[in-house]
Amino acid sequence: MTERIAEALWLSLAGYCGIGLILACVTLLFGLKRLDAGAADMPMGVRVLILPGLALLWPLVLARLAGAKPKEDRP
């Protein structure tokens, strides 16, 4: 039973990271301008540096790409 729980946890973590990596790559290639207008002109080296953060915070990135505004921009 313990092995099944451990395997389920690892598979869940791998799925989360896999989805995050795919979304981060797509965001870096196509959606970065929607997140931040100034970020569109960043060199590729800087984009690679923000890849891990985008991959781990992919639910927030997905919400921002869908149109959600951060707290400081809300009335």
Side-chain angles (χ1 to χ4, degrees):
M1 185 72 169
T2 305
E3 288 181 24
R4 286 185 179 174
I5 293 172
E7 185 177 347
L9 286 174
W10 279 111
L11 287 174
S12 299
L13 182 64
Y16 183 89
C17 290
I19 292 170
L21 189 60
I22 291 169
L23 184 69
C25 290
V26 169
T27 301
L28 286 178
L29 293 174
F30 305 112
L32 200 57
K33 190 172 184 178
R34 276 191 72 160
L35 292 177
D36 186 10
D41 298 330
M42 286 192 305
M44 190 54 78
V46 177
R47 291 179 183 214
V48 170
L49 288 175
I50 64 171
L51 180 77
L54 288 173
L56 291 176
L57 298 173
W58 69 266
L60 298 174
V61 173
L62 189 61
R64 283 290 305 269
L65 287 173
K69 294 182 180 179
K71 282 185 179 179
E72 60 268 7
D73 290 345
R74 293 182 200 155

